[in-house]
Amino acid sequence: MSHDTHPAAGSHGSRRTYLIGFALSAALTAIPFWLVMTGVLVDAQATALAIIALAFVQIVVHTTCFLHVNSRSEGGWTMIALIFTIVIVAIVISGSMWIMFHLNGNMMPMTGAGMTEMP
Amino acid sequence: MSTHSMTADGAAPGFYVIDEEEHHGPGASTSLGFWIYLMSDALIFATLFATYGVLSTSYAGGPAPRQIFELPLVAVNTAMLLLSSITFGMAAIAADEERPGATRLWLGITALFGAAFVGIELYEFASLIAEGATPQRSAFLSGFFALVGTHGLHVLCGLIWIGVMLVQMSLHGLNADNRRRLMCLGMFWHLLDVVWIGVFTFVYLLGVLR
């Protein structure tokens, strides 16, 4: 914590932290775009898994290098708030997808003609 | 009676002041409070991501992501936001090193990258609407415009904030208040970049793959 030197500044990193974060982030952005735009991995499923994994790694890089979240800042409370938010975000997103996917499956089948008569 | 018994049996009540957080400056609690606001903002984006995820294949006979998304444009846009993050980092470091002029310069560069991002996004939206891919066209497009539009509005608010910050810095220099504001602005700006990682991965890249 850097309260000792600058009372108003809660947490911030060094030039090195930012540059490492930027280099990692540039690579982690370029690779997924390259994978999708060139279609190197022929299998779409494998490409999807790869870019999702890279996105999660990049989010961790940004949180540590740019947002400077660690277990020590604010006596650990920023980390606790972040973990709580991640849990809620995971429940909201995966829960919505799960419920709505099954809801679609349980809906009464509708013909194309019935669809066009809908308001 | 029982209240007196504590001191009567000889054990004097002790008070201990535990100084857990020494040097608790005026801006210290602000950063935690602002962080909690940012987490609530992240929840707004979570609901928008969930909505988009549910609606992302409901094309209603309209265009699919593959037909309307232009990945080179999205890549340029992503680069703009990423560059604005590192230039903001440079502004924060310049403020730490007591260089107000350099701080203002880096903030200005950050604002230029941010403005480029918003400009490219508006251009993208305008060309989508010109093609007939309006928010009213399908549930997928409603979800898309709601999610990406909310992020764009946040970046626009960040740009206004950078403008206000520049005025405050030219009036008061690098005082304690402005350092605190700069720190909050930095957290806000970097969080928008984190949200954009989710947008370009789950909306654009996965959309084109589908």
Side-chain angles (χ1 to χ4, degrees):
Chain A
M1 291 248 269
S2 40
H3 290 158
D4 319 322
T5 43
H6 300 301
S11 50
H12 38 138
S14 63
R15 196 178 300 266
R16 197 167 153 270
T17 326
Y18 277 109
L19 289 176
I20 290 174
F22 179 69
L24 282 175
S25 187
L28 289 166
T29 304
I31 295 169
F33 272 96
W34 173 71
L35 282 177
V36 174
M37 287 165 86
T38 59
V40 184
L41 300 175
V42 182
D43 185 19
Q45 193 87 38
T47 314
L49 286 176
I51 64 173
I52 291 171
L54 288 167
F56 280 112
V57 175
Q58 194 178 358
I59 288 172
V60 172
V61 168
H62 277 243
T63 328
T64 50
C65 293
F66 293 157
L67 285 164
H68 317 300
V69 173
N70 55 47
S71 55
R72 276 161 291 113
S73 59
E74 296 297 327
W77 285 107
T78 44
M79 184 72 122
I80 297 214
L82 177 67
I83 291 169
F84 174 73
T85 310
I86 291 171
V87 170
I88 301 288
V89 166
I91 292 173
V92 167
I93 295 179
S94 61
S96 305
M97 304 280 287
W98 187 28
I99 291 170
M100 295 310 285
F101 177 76
H102 284 274
L103 203 61
N104 275 346
N106 292 333
M107 286 291 274
M108 231 165 42
M110 195 184 269
T111 58
M115 203 92 113
T116 51
E117 284 161 21
M118 292 273 288
Chain B
M1 274 302 139
S2 60
T3 49
H4 294 290
S5 66
M6 263 168 64
T7 46
D9 62 6
F15 292 96
Y16 299 97
V17 177
I18 301 166
D19 193 12
E20 278 183 60
E21 290 173 65
E22 317 116 66
H23 314 296
H24 208 121
S29 55
T30 306
S31 91
L32 180 58
F34 194 77
W35 179 252
I36 288 170
Y37 152 68
L38 286 182
M39 292 295 98
S40 72
D41 218 12
L43 292 182
I44 291 180
F45 282 109
T47 56
L48 288 169
F49 269 111
T51 312
Y52 177 79
V54 168
L55 300 176
S56 59
T57 49
S58 311
Y59 305 133
R66 190 193 290 272
Q67 295 156 325
I68 52 171
F69 290 162
E70 287 176 46
L71 282 190
L73 195 67
V74 181
V76 172
N77 223 359
T78 306
M80 290 300 126
L81 209 57
L82 197 58
L83 285 168
S84 82
S85 245
I86 185 68
T87 56
F88 199 102
M90 293 298 128
I93 289 166
D96 278 355
E97 293 171 351
E98 307 288 340
R99 291 187 295 147
T103 310
R104 293 226 297 271
L105 179 68
W106 282 117
L107 273 182
I109 298 171
T110 307
L112 286 181
F113 280 126
F117 174 85
V118 174
I120 293 172
E121 193 163 281
L122 285 177
Y123 166 76
E124 188 200 8
F125 281 4
S127 45
L128 283 178
I129 288 168
E131 286 170 26
T134 58
Q136 303 96 303
R137 184 62 192 84
S138 64
F140 148 66
L141 284 165
S142 303
F144 166 79
F145 276 98
L147 172 59
V148 183
T150 306
H151 179 270
L153 272 180
H154 273 76
V155 177
L156 191 64
C157 291
L159 282 178
I160 295 168
W161 193 352
I162 291 179
V164 173
M165 192 73 235
L166 283 171
V167 172
Q168 282 173 325
M169 281 204 48
S170 60
L171 289 177
H172 308 294
L174 266 177
N175 59 9
D177 282 343
N178 277 348
R179 281 181 197 283
R180 193 188 66 237
R181 289 164 186 152
L182 195 66
M183 179 195 68
C184 290
L185 174 56
M187 287 158 78
F188 182 76
W189 197 259
H190 291 309
L191 188 90
L192 290 183
D193 212 4
V194 173
V195 173
W196 185 255
I197 299 171
V199 173
F200 81 71
T201 303
F202 291 98
V203 176
Y204 289 102
L205 293 180
L206 284 185
V208 170
L209 270 183
R210 197 182 296 124

